[in-house]
Amino acid sequence: MPFFKQNNFLKIASHLGFWLISMGLTLLLFYYYEDRVHFDLVILSKAFITNLGFAIAVYINLLVLIPGFLKRKNYIFYVFWLMVLLTLSSLFIQFLLMFPLRNILQVGFRFRSFDINLHAAYFSTTLIFVAFTSFLKFIRDWLTMQDLNLKLAKIEQQKLEAELKTLKGQLNPHFLFNSLNNIYSLALVHSEKVPDLILQLADLMRHIIYESRENYISLEKEIEFVTNFVALQKIRASENVNIEFKINGEVPSSKIAPLIFEPFIDNAFKHGLPGTNGKDFIHISFDFETPGWIKFSIENNYEQFPKSIRKKDGGIGIENVRQRLNHLYSSKDYNLQIQHQNNKHLVNLKLKLK
């Protein structure tokens, strides 16, 4: 691995470029301010000392004060230590410029007395450097945070898609398992309904495998799937069972998450037959009267089985619906209520259409 990564190299190059530009501007200021005829070692030394003082203040602020106080919201301490830093930095610059270096440089540096106006000028200039570099740091940190948030969002989206694929992978075998059980029960008694049931199952599996790959599909196709699914379930039901299937309003041209209703309907037929005292019923309704929303309800009788028996039913389908709703819709875009009372099972789902 190279010692300098590309990002580190660019960072160092940008810092060097910044201070080279600052050095050049400072040289020009000293050149015109002191009315020099040409550039010499004195002006170069003054520019270097001045920028050294600026750099000390800038990097102490960036590396110590901002992470140690400002980012921790210790604003009072940050302002206090910033004022101390600016004062010491300006005194550092002024002291070095006042120091008699003519014996070292063999040039005409003159020792000056402390000048409060000159100190204020260095203090203000240092403050400008600190403020400007702080602004650049905040911009860089903001861009870095945006890039990080984008990467995290992509990772979360990939994770979500993987979870949804897993849930769909669980749902399809669950649906197939229950349907094959229905066919098997009819095949044992050599029912004439078996061939038609197999054909309808093939159509339903085609919808699950090919048309339900996306997170959202046509609402019309999903309602058609539910209609065929109810018809499939009716084949194995007794003629004495009161089965109602209603659609109120016109089905809008919207999208919806696929296979949302199938687990509830499958659960009703699976656990609601036979019912209590021979009073078997399953009432299913879709309501499109509210624009932009769909209201689904299903009510059926059910037996209060012992816990040992109920435990065998893992509830994979219903739990999958809950998870998929949480993944694909916000909490304000759906409302799911499941109630058990008086040997009746009631499901109400209000869902915002896409």
Side-chain angles (χ1 to χ4, degrees), residues 20-32:
L20 286 175
I21 294 174
S22 175
M23 187 76 175
L25 293 175
T26 309
L27 280 171
L28 291 175
L29 287 175
F30 278 117
Y31 178 79
Y32 287 107

Side-chain angles (χ1 to χ4, degrees), residues 239-280:
E239 295 180 356
N240 296 326
V241 179
N242 180 11
I243 300 177
E244 294 183 0
F245 180 70
K246 297 180 180 179
I247 298 178
N248 300 321
E250 185 177 353
V251 180
S253 300
S254 303
K255 290 183 178 292
I256 192 173
L259 306 178
I260 289 293
F261 311 109
E262 177 269 329
F264 298 115
I265 299 173
D266 182 65
N267 187 68
F269 279 93
K270 182 178 180 181
H271 298 291
L273 305 176
T276 304
N277 299 324
K279 299 179 181 179
D280 302 337

Side-chain angles (χ1 to χ4, degrees), residues 208-224:
I208 292 176
I209 295 174
Y210 297 107
E211 297 178 357
S212 301
R213 292 180 177 179
E214 304 296 328
N215 290 334
Y216 303 97
I217 65 170
S218 167
L219 177 59
E220 295 178 351
K221 289 185 178 181
E222 187 65 17
I223 295 298
E224 181 182 355

Side-chain angles (χ1 to χ4, degrees), residues 100-153:
L101 298 176
R102 59 179 178 271
N103 294 329
I104 300 176
L105 302 175
Q106 299 298 321
V107 291
F109 255 147
R110 291 187 304 167
F111 186 84
R112 298 179 181 176
S113 60
F114 180 79
D115 188 341
I116 187 64
N117 293 326
L118 190 61
H119 173 73
Y122 285 127
F123 183 94
S124 302
T125 307
T126 308
L127 176 60
I128 293 174
F129 269 79
V130 168
F132 179 70
T133 52
S134 298
F135 174 76
L136 293 180
K137 175 178 174 57
F138 292 142
I139 292 295
R140 188 194 67 184
D141 290 348
W142 182 82
L143 292 175
T144 302
M145 185 60 65
Q146 294 300 311
D147 182 61
L148 180 60
N149 289 337
L150 181 60
K151 291 180 180 178
L152 290 176

Side-chain angles (χ1 to χ4, degrees), residues 180-197:
L180 289 176
N181 273 343
N182 296 339
I183 297 174
Y184 176 74
S185 63
L186 292 176
L188 288 177
V189 296
H190 304 285
S191 173
E192 296 180 356
K193 299 178 181 179
V194 171
D196 292 335
L197 196 152

